[in-house]
């Protein structure tokens, strides 16, 4: 019988995270979906499946991550650090790049995935995979100056992925990052060229192809390797 994998997705109440939940269920995964804000979970709650568990989790709070860790009694095959924000689309000297906003982006996008991986590591199955949802905007030679803090945060995600992959490779745990494409979500906006469903369908398919030799790589959503 086909193995039922367990996938844990942060930021799963909307956007790419929610689409990954639906796609994973279609692909016979057991899904642990986490959300930050209980007032925004109707789309997630409306999914009826015996293969879905939902939990409130803020990636910037270790206590919140540990609360969930203590409630789950199964090992995770795929940990997807998807939660992220971009609250500054301007450049470094725009109003939306106040110190407070820069720190918020760094806290959610950089500190968040480290805390998530750190606190859930004992729940990862042998041969498990940790996948950081990064962005092409974090690739050093990507043209553009806008969203300065967001770009820096995703460059950091690519870098922390390398450190964590080096730590976990000897244990057989694969650690990679994925660019999900430019996706029509609240973050990606209405002009993006992919629907969340198109992105999620490619992502889940390519997650299933990963093995330890991929550790330390950044992939595009279509499975091609990206230089960063
Ligand atoms: N859309 C694109 O074109 C695109 C391109 C490249 C990379 N990405 C990356 O893909 C990921 C998903 O993006 P998206 O487009 O789906 O964005 P989105 O629609 O804005 O959704 C972001 C998700 O992250 C959650 N989140 C934010 N802060 C959190 C926190 N502190 N703790 C837990 N959850 C938190 C949000 O929860 P709330 O509902 O509570 O706010 C929401 O569920 C992000 O990492 C993003 O940087 C997106």
């Amino acid at each position: 019988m086909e193995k039922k994998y367990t996938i844990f997705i942060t930021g799963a109440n909307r956007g790419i995270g929610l689409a990954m939940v639906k796609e994973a269920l279609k692909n016979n995964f057991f899904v642990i979906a986490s959300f930050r804000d209980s007032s925004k979970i109707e789309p997630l709650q409306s999914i009826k499946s015996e293969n879905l568990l939902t939990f409130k989790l803020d990636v910037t709070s270790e206590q919140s991550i540990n609360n969930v860790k203590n409630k789950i009694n199964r090992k995770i095959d795929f940990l997807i650090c998807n939660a992220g924000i971009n609250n500054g689309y301007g450049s470094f000297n725009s109003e939306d790049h106040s110190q407070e906003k820069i720190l918020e982006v760094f806290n959610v996008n950089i500190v968040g995935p480290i805390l998530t991986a750190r606190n859930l590591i004992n729940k990862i199955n042998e041969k498990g995979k940790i996948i950081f949802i990064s962005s092409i905007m974090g690739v050093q030679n990507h043209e553009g100056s806008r969203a300065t803090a967001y770009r820096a945060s995703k460059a950091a995600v690519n870098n922390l992925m390398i450190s964590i992959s080096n730590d976990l490779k000897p244990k057989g745990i694969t650690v990679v990052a994925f660019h999900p494409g430019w996706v029509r979500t609240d973050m990606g906006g209405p002009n993006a060229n992919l629907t969340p469903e198109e992105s999620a369908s490619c992502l889940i398919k390519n997650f299933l192809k990963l093995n330890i030799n991929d550790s330390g790589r950044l992939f595009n959503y279509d499975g091609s390797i990206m230089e960063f």
Side-chain angles (χ1 to χ4, degrees), residues 9 25 39 51 59 76 84 107 110 112 131 147 164 174 199 204 217:
I9 304 169
L25 287 170
S39 71
N51 291 319
V59 297
I76 300 164
N107 199 25
I110 308 172
I131 295 156
I164 298 175
T174 303
S199 170
I204 297 288
R217 287 180 171 156

Side-chain angles (χ1 to χ4, degrees), residues 11-17 36-37 40 57-60 82-85 108 133-135 150 154 179-183 185-188:
N13 59 306
R14 61 188 170 99
I16 299 165
R36 167 177 62 169
D37 182 348
K40 294 197 274 185
L57 182 157
D58 184 330
V59 297
T60 64
N82 165 73
I85 58 167
V108 176
I133 301 301
S134 184
S135 172
Y150 177 76
K154 292 301 188 180
H179 167 57
W182 185 23
V183 189
T185 62
D186 292 337
M187 187 188 293

Side-chain angles (χ1 to χ4, degrees), residues 8 37 46 53 55-56 63 73 96 108-109 117 120-121 150 154-155 157 165 187 192 208:
F8 189 123
D37 182 348
S46 68
L53 278 180
F55 293 103
K56 186 170 163 57
Q63 192 187 353
N73 60 4
D96 61 10
V108 176
N109 293 3
L120 292 177
I121 188 64
Y150 177 76
K154 292 301 188 180
V157 168
S165 72
M187 187 188 293
L208 284 165

Side-chain angles (χ1 to χ4, degrees), residues 4-214:
K4 187 185 277 295
Y5 291 113
T6 296
I7 188 168
F8 189 123
I9 304 169
T10 64
N13 59 306
R14 61 188 170 99
I16 299 165
L18 179 65
M20 284 194 285
V21 170
K22 293 177 180 167
E23 188 62 28
L25 287 170
K26 268 199 233 164
N27 282 272
N28 195 36
F29 282 78
F30 187 89
V31 182
I32 303 172
S34 74
F35 57 88
R36 167 177 62 169
D37 182 348
S38 306
S39 71
K40 294 197 274 185
I41 54 169
E42 204 281 320
L44 181 60
Q45 260 188 339
S46 68
I47 302 171
K48 300 292 171 226
S49 171
E50 60 187 19
N51 291 319
L52 174 65
L53 278 180
T54 62
F55 293 103
K56 186 170 163 57
L57 182 157
D58 184 330
V59 297
T60 64
S61 157
E62 288 199 279
Q63 192 187 353
S64 162
I65 301 166
N66 278 311
N67 281 343
V68 176
K69 182 178 94 178
N70 294 333
K71 285 181 194 149
I72 56 177
N73 60 4
R74 48 169 74 226
K75 288 281 191 179
I76 300 164
D77 297 295
F78 294 84
L79 172 61
I80 317 300
C81 298
N82 165 73
I85 58 167
N86 181 3
N87 59 4
Y89 287 89
S91 62
F92 79 101
N93 61 355
S94 305
E95 266 178 31
D96 61 10
H97 276 64
S98 63
Q99 182 175 14
E100 190 189 355
K101 292 222 161 162
I102 293 170
L103 287 176
E104 198 185 350
V105 164
F106 288 2
N107 199 25
V108 176
N109 293 3
I110 308 172
V111 180
I114 298 175
L115 293 183
T116 305
R118 229 177 107 75
N119 288 286
L120 292 177
I121 188 64
N122 292 336
K123 288 283 180 185
I124 307 281
N125 229 341
E126 48 179 83
K127 296 196 182 160
K129 319 292 185 285
I130 300 178
I131 295 156
F132 297 105
I133 301 301
S134 184
S135 172
I136 194 171
M137 289 179 77
V139 168
Q140 300 294 6
N141 63 5
H142 185 253
E143 290 287 325
S145 63
R146 303 191 79 75
T148 312
Y150 177 76
R151 281 170 191 274
S153 75
K154 292 301 188 180
V157 168
N158 296 338
N159 186 272
L160 67 88
M161 177 273 291
I162 292 287
S163 311
I164 298 175
S165 72
N166 286 335
D167 261 345
L168 297 181
K169 206 168 186 179
K171 297 197 170 113
I173 295 174
T174 303
V175 181
V176 300
F178 266 82
H179 167 57
W182 185 23
V183 189
R184 288 198 289 281
T185 62
D186 292 337
M187 187 188 293
N191 298 325
N193 57 351
L194 291 175
T195 63
E197 293 73 28
E198 287 165 338
S199 170
S201 148
C202 289
L203 289 170
I204 297 288
K205 193 171 70 194
N206 287 309
F207 294 168
L208 284 165
K209 292 183 184 162
L210 291 170
N211 67 58
I212 195 73
N213 297 322
D214 296 315

